[in-house]
Amino acid sequence: MSKNVVIMLVVILWAAAAMYAQSNEAIDRILAADAVDYGKVAYLVLVASDNIAEDAGESRSFEMLKELKWVDPGVAETDPVSLSEYAYFLMKAFGLRGGLMYSLVPGKRYAYRELVSRKVIQGRADPADRVTGDRAIRVLGRILDLVGD
Amino acid sequence: MKRIALTLLCAGFAAAAFAADFGLVFDNVSSYAYSGEGTFFQKDRATLWLSMPVSAAFDFYGSLRTDYRYPDASSPFGQSAFSVDVGRLEFKGSLPMGSGSPLALTAGRFLLADDGTRLLSGRMDGATLSYFLPGMSIDGMVGYMGLLPKEDAKVLVSVDDIADYEDADLYFAAPRVVATARVRFTELFARHDLSVTLVGQFDLRSLAEADPDEIVHSQYLALSLKGPIARLLYHEAYADLGTGERTSGFALMGAAGYALKFFMPEVAQLKLAFSADYATGSSGVFAPFVPISQRQVGFAFNAPLGNNLIFGLDASMKPVSVLTFGLKGNAFLRASTQKLEDPDFSDGSKELYLGVEADAYAYLDIASDVSLSLSGGAFVPNAGGTYVSGSPVRYIASGTATLSF
């Protein structure tokens, strides 16, 4: 087993441990997704950042995301999330400070750049990419590592 | 039919543009050097870049840069303060190879460097192929240097190259083909990596009026070995053997070096390094070592690699996460008594010791998109020995600021 696979497994396990309160079923659904949607991402990010209770569910989490005005009003819960939008939710939910441009113009563009710069987003990536469930969990694991949770 | 094709083409570009990432980077470099008289250099660069996937396995990255320089330098439109250039134009991806690992391919204008960046470094127009096997990797590259700015390529192999470099009317480097082939063995023994590289450059100009003593084409065999020798202690050694083709025969040249590095991440990421580097001068069967891309061996001491023996000490640390600070010291000797191309050189001197240099540097990552670097150095020449009496201490101070949008 290569070193990278071991590291990946440790990160996934750590992320899973940090989110121990989340429903196993929800995590399974996220991991199985080829492209995570706003509902799944809202639940994952808001629960992991202690912004919502674990039993809130995807719909309630998505509503909270809208109330916080982190998403465009026109999007639906089942719409797929782009990698740059996911980066923005993570930056907001965990209260991460970005670079100069993120401070001046906070948004998904500079959130994505920030997480690439901090090596939270790794490998072949494009801001418009859809996010697989597996990638969403791994990126969240690195965020938890970064914030020392 | 044409309308349908046009619509599909526009849709394709729209989809690609939707997936593209782009940005603008501003760099400002200011430096002041003193070597008997002061010279000020200023460069402001704006780089517009675009990155996008072009297929499931291939990505495109392109950048266009514009420079303002002081003093004026060569540009595509003559001597000017302004210049425009294609920074990178890179298609990168992988081709499936049956059940084995995929073949990695890069084509266009890309960044390239040999192990240790002694022979060849900078941008190249061409293509590379890389293949990975368990415990080893193989890669090859073929490139053309005639479309690169001569200032960037900095190829000073032949007398004609030096003449062209000093010709203010010329902007492009000489037409030249460069090819490399490398085999890397990972953790071959005792966690040591071995790299064997063949590099060759072939001047495409006519040799009819070549100086019989100038090197025209050159080829190199480069060996590099590196790995840990104890906890926190690493070392690396290299040896380069080169042949230079002259119209009057062959020239033999070589370079070798050793570095011992100590890295203590728990103490402010402290790094200490000792290095010794040697490059042949004109002595016995050897000719002065000439790499393909020329580089300066010191910071304030502006001599090229070749006919050198250099002992260096480098210490750096990261006292806070955003700041890296370092001190460096080098002692320079020449490898042979061959005359130096330096206005302060003392003709007839047989001394090998050239002088000593001390440098300080600091990198400040203010934010992920704003950074600042400052460096300064002083070279104390062996005045009255290798250099004429009264040769001044040479100073340089440089600052770079980068802002990304």
Side-chain angles (χ1 to χ4, degrees):
Chain A
M1 193 181 291
S2 79
K3 196 160 66 176
N4 285 343
V5 174
V6 173
I7 291 168
M8 193 191 303
L9 284 173
V10 169
V11 168
I12 291 169
L13 288 171
W14 189 20
M19 297 178 295
Y20 67 96
Q22 291 187 10
S23 151
N24 286 338
E25 278 179 31
I27 295 294
D28 287 346
R29 276 203 306 276
I30 291 164
L31 278 170
D34 289 332
V36 287
D37 57 33
Y38 284 97
K40 289 185 180 63
V41 159
Y43 180 77
L44 184 69
V45 172
L46 294 177
V47 170
S49 58
D50 292 332
N51 279 303
I52 203 167
E54 60 166 300
D55 58 355
E58 292 177 10
S59 296
R60 172 69 196 110
S61 301
F62 177 64
E63 285 307 313
M64 187 172 174
L65 215 59
K66 286 181 111 174
E67 286 163 20
L68 290 166
K69 297 188 174 148
W70 293 353
V71 287
D72 293 334
V75 300
E77 184 186 330
T78 51
D79 287 347
V81 169
S82 71
L83 190 54
S84 60
E85 287 168 316
Y86 183 46
Y88 181 61
F89 300 151
L90 290 167
M91 291 285 289
K92 294 295 279 183
F94 287 91
L96 298 176
R97 286 182 61 191
L100 177 69
M101 292 309 296
Y102 181 80
S103 307
L104 295 173
V105 196
K108 59 184 184 178
R109 174 183 172 81
Y110 293 112
Y112 170 79
R113 294 274 183 82
E114 185 66 28
L115 295 194
V116 169
S117 161
R118 294 194 191 196
K119 296 185 172 58
V120 169
I121 294 173
Q122 297 179 1
R124 190 173 181 233
D126 185 88
D129 281 349
R130 299 285 180 253
V131 187
T132 63
D134 176 56
R135 184 174 217 175
I137 295 287
R138 275 185 284 135
V139 168
L140 179 62
R142 291 187 203 110
I143 285 282
L144 293 171
D145 189 10
L146 199 69
V147 299
D149 201 349
Chain B
M1 188 61 200
K2 273 184 186 172
R3 254 185 217 174
I4 294 168
L6 192 64
T7 308
L8 287 173
L9 192 68
C10 290
F13 273 114
F18 175 72
D21 192 13
F22 58 92
L24 188 61
V25 181
F26 285 111
D27 293 290
N28 173 83
V29 183
S30 305
S31 69
Y32 178 80
Y34 176 83
S35 174
E37 60 183 61
T39 52
F40 178 72
F41 173 78
Q42 171 75 28
K43 182 164 79 179
D44 297 297
R45 170 173 289 172
T47 306
L48 183 66
W49 61 269
L50 173 77
S51 163
M52 57 192 244
V54 287
S55 73
F58 275 83
D59 293 328
F60 168 78
Y61 180 92
S63 65
L64 185 71
R65 60 197 202 187
T66 60
D67 292 346
Y68 166 80
R69 294 86 47 96
Y70 175 83
D72 291 359
S74 61
S75 78
F77 23 87
Q79 280 287 103
S80 172
F82 294 95
S83 187
V84 180
D85 188 25
V86 174
R88 280 162 63 191
L89 199 70
E90 193 175 304
F91 289 91
K92 199 172 186 176
S94 55
L95 302 167
M97 294 287 288
S99 56
S101 70
L103 190 67
L105 169 71
T106 304
R109 174 169 288 186
F110 49 84
L111 292 170
L112 176 81
D114 64 303
D115 294 315
T117 65
R118 290 178 307 280
L119 301 172
L120 183 63
S121 60
R123 295 179 298 159
M124 185 67 69
D125 295 322
T128 68
L129 283 173
S130 307
Y131 190 65
F132 298 90
L133 292 162
M136 70 184 289
S137 66
I138 304 165
D139 59 74
M141 186 282 303
V142 177
Y144 176 71
M145 302 185 91
L147 294 173
L148 293 168
K150 65 177 183 184
E151 295 282 350
D152 280 23
K154 212 160 187 184
V155 181
L156 301 171
V157 175
S158 66
V159 175
D160 301 74
D161 288 328
I162 295 165
D164 285 355
Y165 190 77
E166 287 167 359
D167 185 343
D169 294 330
L170 287 177
Y171 172 68
F172 290 109
R176 181 176 258 111
V177 169
V178 178
T180 69
R182 174 170 55 190
V183 182
R184 273 181 175 154
F185 299 94
T186 310
E187 300 198 351
L188 187 64
F189 63 91
R191 294 174 59 207
H192 279 59
D193 299 340
L194 174 70
S195 170
V196 182
T197 311
L198 288 170
V199 185
Q201 65 82 17
F202 306 92
D203 195 326
L204 300 180
R205 288 172 293 186
S206 164
L207 301 180
E209 293 180 25
D211 182 322
D213 289 328
E214 70 173 329
I215 291 173
V216 182
H217 315 301
S218 57
Q219 302 83 36
Y220 309 82
L221 167 66
L223 303 173
S224 163
L225 182 71
K226 60 183 173 186
I229 46 177
R231 187 179 167 267
L232 309 176
L233 197 60
Y234 305 84
H235 69 162
E236 56 185 87
Y238 69 86
D240 304 331
L241 186 66
T243 55
E245 288 181 47
R246 295 167 163 159
T247 48
S248 59
F250 280 89
L252 197 62
M253 52 192 173
Y258 180 79
L260 193 62
K261 298 176 178 179
F262 176 74
F263 177 45
M264 198 176 241
E266 59 269 32
V267 183
Q269 299 201 31
L270 176 70
K271 288 179 189 171
L272 298 171
F274 163 77
S275 61
D277 297 275
Y278 171 80
T280 55
S282 185
S283 172
V285 295
F286 287 105
F289 186 78
V290 184
I292 299 173
S293 313
Q294 193 58 263
R295 70 178 177 91
Q296 198 170 304
V297 292
F299 185 40
F301 180 55
N302 57 349
L305 181 68
N307 191 26
N308 324 103
L309 177 58
I310 307 160
F311 298 100
L313 278 172
D314 190 353
S316 71
M317 62 193 306
K318 222 170 172 177
V320 288
S321 64
V322 296
L323 175 69
T324 303
F325 173 76
L327 293 169
K328 198 191 286 188
N330 280 320
F332 296 99
L333 293 91
R334 52 181 170 160
S336 72
T337 53
Q338 177 196 341
K339 183 181 182 299
L340 297 184
E341 296 298 327
D342 190 301
D344 290 336
F345 178 69
S346 175
D347 283 327
S349 167
K350 298 293 179 196
E351 287 195 37
L352 297 179
Y353 174 63
L354 299 175
V356 67
E357 175 168 331
D359 304 323
Y361 55 90
Y363 309 121
L364 186 62
D365 292 317
I366 298 164
S368 59
D369 48 5
V370 187
S371 64
L372 188 67
S373 76
L374 298 167
S375 47
F379 171 69
V380 183
N382 177 17
T386 327
Y387 296 92
V388 294
S389 297
S391 293
V393 174
R394 303 174 187 186
Y395 302 96
I396 188 166
S398 179
T400 303
T402 303
L403 175 63
S404 307
F405 291 94

